[in-house]
Amino acid sequence: DTGVSQDPRHKITKRGQNVTFRCDPISEHNRLYWYRQTLGQGPEFLTYFQNEAQLEKSRLLSDRFSAERPKGSFSTLEIQRTEQGDSAMYLCASSTRDYRDEQYFGPGTRLTVT
Amino acid sequence: GDSVTQMEGPVTLSEEAFLTINCTYTATGYPSLFWYVQYPGEGLQLLLKATKADDKGSNKGFEATYRKETTSFHLEKGSVQVSDSAVYFCALSAVDTGNQFYFGTGTSLTVIP
């Protein structure tokens, strides 16, 4: 068990550019979550997958955001036409199907939009 | 909707002092409750959890009891150490919300020698 990994750890981009982040969950976990955390706030839910199916999306997830988990393993989060307001830490987490179980978080990808 | 309200910080304590961080929740179902900790420069780590009323979660000297009657899950530690300096997040998860977590805003704790 190597834990949840995310790549890259830091990304600096110019406004208007597209960015893509990757998350590799714990291998036996079939649920994968994306959260966004801004300074001084707790993580906010963006979307989650059960296996390859995207089951829920937050209203925070504008149409510039898209997430995939094509084979039910790793996931990608793409932001198109980035805006300065997208600057945040993007967190990935994975868990089993049981709501009583904890989510295991990756180290996050810090996005800075200039 | 489901939500978590957490005591605002920052909190500064002297080493060996008693710690309480308050957390209350609103949920339509029967949530599981969690405390996560974020040390400087690190990711979120589970500190403890409780999955039903009156359960007590404990780890590393920290404790929290799931109180359904007061909808609370306050974090306590009898004697804090400098190494406990971190940001603490209360969170809930409920089966009717797809297992997504709702987090509080976090409480920053600094312990001084």
Side-chain angles (χ1 to χ4, degrees):
Chain A
D1 179 0
T2 56
V4 179
S5 61
Q6 293 187 246
D7 184 69
R9 295 290 303 276
H10 304 274
K11 179 70 177 178
I12 300 174
T13 192
K14 293 184 177 180
R15 189 177 56 182
Q17 297 295 304
N18 299 345
V19 294
T20 299
F21 310 141
R22 175 179 172 124
C23 170
D24 286 89
I26 293 171
S27 57
E28 62 266 30
H29 287 175
N30 51 24
R31 287 197 175 185
L32 185 149
Y33 301 79
W34 286 99
Y35 293 85
R36 181 170 69 189
Q37 185 179 20
T38 54
L39 197 61
Q41 299 298 315
E44 293 177 296
F45 170 78
L46 293 177
T47 188
Y48 92 94
F49 293 84
Q50 184 166 300
N51 300 314
E52 65 276 10
Q54 188 173 17
L55 296 187
E56 191 169 342
K57 293 191 286 187
S58 164
R59 58 184 170 79
L60 293 176
L61 209 67
S62 77
D63 56 6
R64 296 184 297 106
F65 288 68
S66 63
E68 294 183 343
R69 194 182 183 197
K71 297 182 180 179
S73 56
F74 73 91
S75 175
T76 58
L77 178 68
E78 181 183 17
I79 309 174
Q80 296 182 326
R81 306 181 303 280
T82 52
E83 302 173 355
Q84 289 190 322
D86 297 331
S87 296
M89 178 75 86
Y90 289 84
L91 300 172
C92 177
S94 70
S95 75
T96 66
R97 286 186 64 174
D98 193 328
Y99 78 101
R100 292 166 295 186
D101 284 346
E102 59 268 33
Q103 294 183 9
Y104 293 80
F105 282 81
T109 295
R110 182 168 295 284
L111 173 66
T112 302
V113 182
T114 62
Chain B
D2 294 0
S3 66
V4 171
T5 302
Q6 192 174 335
M7 181 175 107
E8 290 192 13
V11 174
T12 302
L13 295 174
S14 297
E15 207 165 20
E16 299 183 3
F18 184 85
L19 168 70
T20 299
I21 301 177
N22 290 339
C23 172
T24 58
Y25 68 89
T26 301
T28 53
Y30 298 94
S32 289
L33 301 173
F34 304 82
W35 278 100
Y36 278 80
V37 60
Q38 191 168 34
Y39 297 104
E42 298 185 17
L44 283 165
Q45 302 174 26
L46 178 70
L47 181 59
L48 54 84
K49 72 175 185 180
T51 59
K52 60 182 187 297
D54 300 324
D55 269 2
K56 177 186 285 188
S58 61
N59 186 26
K60 300 181 180 179
F62 291 89
E63 293 183 340
T65 301
Y66 188 163
R67 301 286 189 200
K68 188 169 181 289
E69 63 275 13
T70 55
T71 62
S72 65
F73 193 55
H74 304 320
L75 182 67
E76 297 181 335
K77 186 175 186 182
S79 176
V80 294
Q81 306 300 311
V82 172
S83 58
D84 294 326
S85 298
V87 182
Y88 293 82
F89 293 93
C90 185
L92 74 80
S93 168
V95 65
D96 56 350
T97 58
N99 204 29
Q100 65 172 277
F101 275 24
Y102 292 89
F103 284 87
T105 54
T107 301
S108 175
L109 170 67
T110 300
V111 180
I112 55 178

